[in-house]
Amino acid sequence: MLTVDKHQDLLDSPEALRCLVGHLRHPELTTRIEAFRALITMHRDCPVETPMVDPQRVMMAQNRLKDDDQYNKAFFDTGPYNMLLTTLMTCMVDYQKAMLQNAQDRDMLSLGKKLYALVMRSEWSLGDGEFRDGRNQSITDLGLPYTTWFEALPHCIAALRAEDSKSEAAAILEIKYEIKHRRYAKAHQLAKAWLAVNEKCSYCYYALSMDQKNDKEGLRWAKLGLRTRPSGYIQRGLLFNCLDYAGRLGVNMLDDHKAYHEDPEKHMKTAIAYLHTALKDARTYVDIAPVDDRILRQVIWRYLNLFVAFKGSALVDRDLRKVQSYVDRLKLVERVSSVIWSPVVGIAAKVTWDLISTTYTPAAKEWDPIFDERSQKEPASASERQGRAAEQEAPDGLEELVENLVLSPDHHVNPDEDSWRTHAFSLHLDEDMLEM
């Protein structure tokens, strides 16, 4: 198993970096995954990206992007109302209209229904606005039970429940209120309570997949949420949480050298299963997200890193033409997101992809002949050659393995049970499963 203890020494050595990137083309999947883990963990000290929504930046973005031909093409190909920027701007206008109307009619029930509709349209639809006069001074004497707009939610919740004690709108707004104030434990409690009423409420699963301290628990809630067939930002949020938790579980397992040496086969198969789940969910996210999605650039970086590791030399050419369409899209996404959301930050996934993309061709030229020479020198029977060819692909059944790990009826799997071990090690190989 590859170990990376002196990260800076490796980063300062072009030869070592070519060695690691070159091993992304190794014939055996397990070696490629170990190389991937080494490349990622070398950049573990990179900053974490948390793009925030700046209303002023959002309002200026459309004008700043109007002369970008690639963006304009994507805008019309996707459909204006499927773009995140359009959704956010229309929600901002509708939010202001709803609050100004409430200042006139004091109808908290009507406001609650409008705010619920906005929450279901956009994650960032309800902000910390307030009433202001012509001199931009706060107005606090309107006779309303709140001053800042977001604090209208408790009053809306009460009005909705007065009309219907089992109001889903009230339940969602209450969960949203706790999330906005970063009281995730309370939000989780409320979400579980509402799932007892409506077990198909996608928003509750999304809330439960947020800020979980246990990665396996977070992955479980996100996977369950995707089974409810969500759409829009809730679907993308669940997909991102799935790939985020699964990716971290996989890398952390590979970093656990003690557990690896206790049972290398089981440990590696489980880690690969988590990473393969992250790959699949990243691909789905990339396929459905508009180019102005807030975190799409993060997802593409992660997808590309995982893709080259899982595919290897059998399916990825030395010049990375196989992923050129994703690289082209990434360039547009980085440019657009820098205008709408925030400048690109050198997070671990980005820095890793930058290293791979700039080093891949020379690394392949250096290491492909070495791997070819080794394979030719090693005598092997027909069955052994077939087995080695199979090792280039990910085993079939990985998704099922992850679901068994995180979605078991009692939400717990004992990896020492014979039934689990039989399932985990009876996975057969299927070339078609990675045609993604």
Side-chain angles (χ1 to χ4, degrees):
M1 187 176 191
L2 295 174
T3 59
V4 182
D5 298 320
K6 297 183 179 180
H7 295 170
Q8 193 56 50
D9 290 345
L10 284 169
L11 290 170
D12 292 338
S13 170
E15 295 81 5
L17 294 176
R18 287 199 305 275
C19 174
L20 284 176
V21 174
H23 276 73
L24 293 174
R25 297 177 61 80
H26 193 278
E28 294 182 3
L29 174 62
T30 53
T31 301
R32 299 199 302 271
I33 293 300
E34 287 175 359
F36 161 81
R37 191 271 309 176
L39 289 164
I40 285 289
T41 54
M42 278 197 305
H43 302 111
R44 188 163 276 173
D45 294 334
C46 289
V48 177
E49 183 180 38
T50 53
M52 302 302 293
V53 176
D54 180 348
Q56 295 299 321
R57 192 184 188 101
V58 169
M59 287 188 288
M60 294 171 58
Q62 191 70 64
N63 186 58
R64 294 174 62 190
L65 290 167
K66 67 180 181 180
D67 295 325
D68 189 317
D69 293 339
Q70 286 185 301
Y71 172 76
N72 289 330
K73 184 179 185 304
F75 184 86
F76 288 108
D77 288 347
T78 304
Y81 288 97
N82 292 323
M83 297 291 280
L84 196 61
L85 180 58
T86 306
T87 301
L88 188 53
M89 291 182 70
T90 55
C91 283
M92 289 168 61
V93 171
D94 291 345
Y95 185 37
Q96 291 176 4
K97 287 181 178 178
M99 300 311 298
L100 292 173
Q101 181 64 38
N102 186 249
Q104 298 176 32
D105 61 25
R106 309 292 203 272
D107 189 341
M108 303 307 296
L109 177 62
S110 174
L111 178 62
K113 292 177 179 179
K114 293 174 184 176
L115 297 187
Y116 165 67
L118 286 170
V119 168
M120 302 311 292
R121 283 167 57 190
S122 170
E123 187 166 19
W124 306 98
S125 54
L126 307 186
D128 294 317
E130 59 182 352
F131 298 106
R132 291 180 174 272
D133 59 22
R135 295 173 298 174
N136 202 31
Q137 299 295 313
S138 298
I139 304 174
T140 58
D141 57 352
L142 292 174
L144 293 167
Y146 60 89
T147 52
T148 60
W149 291 357
F150 194 79
E151 293 308 311
L153 261 68
H155 307 284
C156 293
I157 293 165
L160 288 164
R161 288 205 169 116
E163 181 189 54
D164 178 5
S165 61
K166 293 186 177 181
S167 167
E168 180 153 293
I172 299 301
L173 289 180
E174 190 172 19
I175 295 168
K176 178 68 176 179
Y177 187 79
E178 298 302 328
I179 291 173
K180 181 70 162 57
H181 290 293
R182 306 190 68 80
R183 295 191 288 259
Y184 290 104
K186 181 63 175 178
H188 294 164
Q189 179 185 352
L190 293 169
K192 288 178 181 178
W194 186 251
L195 285 176
V197 179
N198 178 11
E199 64 179 9
K200 295 183 179 181
C201 181
S202 301
Y203 188 85
C204 287
Y205 291 105
Y206 180 41
L208 283 161
S209 72
M210 294 180 185
D211 201 54
Q212 287 285 355
K213 307 307 179 186
N214 183 305
D215 289 337
K216 191 178 291 187
E217 185 75 356
L219 178 59
R220 179 172 74 88
W221 286 115
K223 285 289 184 186
L224 288 171
L226 289 174
R227 290 184 172 186
T228 65
R229 299 184 181 277
S231 60
Y233 81 88
I234 296 175
Q235 179 189 17
R236 295 195 299 274
L238 287 166
L239 282 167
F240 181 79
N241 288 344
C242 275
L243 70 94
D244 191 46
Y245 286 123
R248 190 158 51 245
L249 281 164
V251 172
N252 287 345
M253 285 193 72
L254 294 173
D255 279 341
D256 190 346
H257 300 160
K258 181 180 178 181
Y260 172 83
H261 289 295
E262 288 174 356
D263 193 336
E265 184 179 8
K266 180 188 74 175
H267 197 77
M268 182 59 73
K269 278 187 179 288
T270 307
I272 288 175
Y274 282 128
L275 292 174
H276 190 254
T277 288
L279 172 68
K280 291 182 67 177
D281 288 332
R283 171 63 187 267
T284 302
Y285 194 110
V286 173
D287 286 347
I288 67 173
V291 296
D292 61 351
D293 183 271
R294 188 176 61 91
I295 54 177
L296 179 57
R297 64 193 186 192
Q298 284 192 40
V299 179
I300 299 178
W301 292 326
R302 297 186 192 202
Y303 174 69
L304 289 169
N305 292 331
L306 286 165
F307 185 91
V308 296
F310 271 96
K311 293 291 189 178
S313 60
L315 291 167
V316 181
D317 57 281
R318 289 182 176 184
D319 298 323
L320 293 171
R321 290 188 299 272
K322 181 76 174 180
V323 297
Q324 189 58 49
S325 62
Y326 290 96
V327 173
D328 292 341
R329 190 176 187 205
L330 176 60
K331 292 176 182 176
L332 173 61
V333 169
E334 287 180 339
R335 188 166 70 249
V336 170
S337 63
S338 295
V339 172
I340 302 175
W341 310 114
S342 62
V344 173
V345 176
I347 65 172
K350 172 182 167 45
V351 177
T352 300
W353 173 246
D354 287 346
L355 171 61
I356 291 173
S357 61
T358 56
T359 313
Y360 198 83
T361 300
K365 290 178 180 178
E366 179 178 346
W367 284 91
D368 281 4
I370 296 174
F371 299 145
D372 291 341
E373 183 180 357
R374 287 177 182 173
S375 63
Q376 291 171 4
K377 285 183 177 179
E378 295 175 2
S381 65
S383 60
E384 287 175 326
R385 287 196 299 272
Q386 183 178 6
R388 289 176 187 174
E391 286 175 338
Q392 294 192 32
E393 292 289 343
D396 192 11
L398 294 182
E399 187 71 15
E400 183 182 0
L401 172 55
V402 170
E403 293 204 355
N404 282 351
L405 284 167
V406 300
L407 300 180
S408 57
D410 59 355
H411 313 312
H412 173 74
V413 174
N414 181 357
D416 294 324
E417 290 179 359
D418 290 340
S419 60
W420 185 90
R421 294 176 64 86
T422 300
H423 170 76
F425 302 140
S426 65
L427 305 176
H428 63 278
L429 299 170
D430 182 355
E431 277 189 17
D432 295 332
M433 77 167 298
L434 277 183
E435 288 304 315
M436 300 167 59

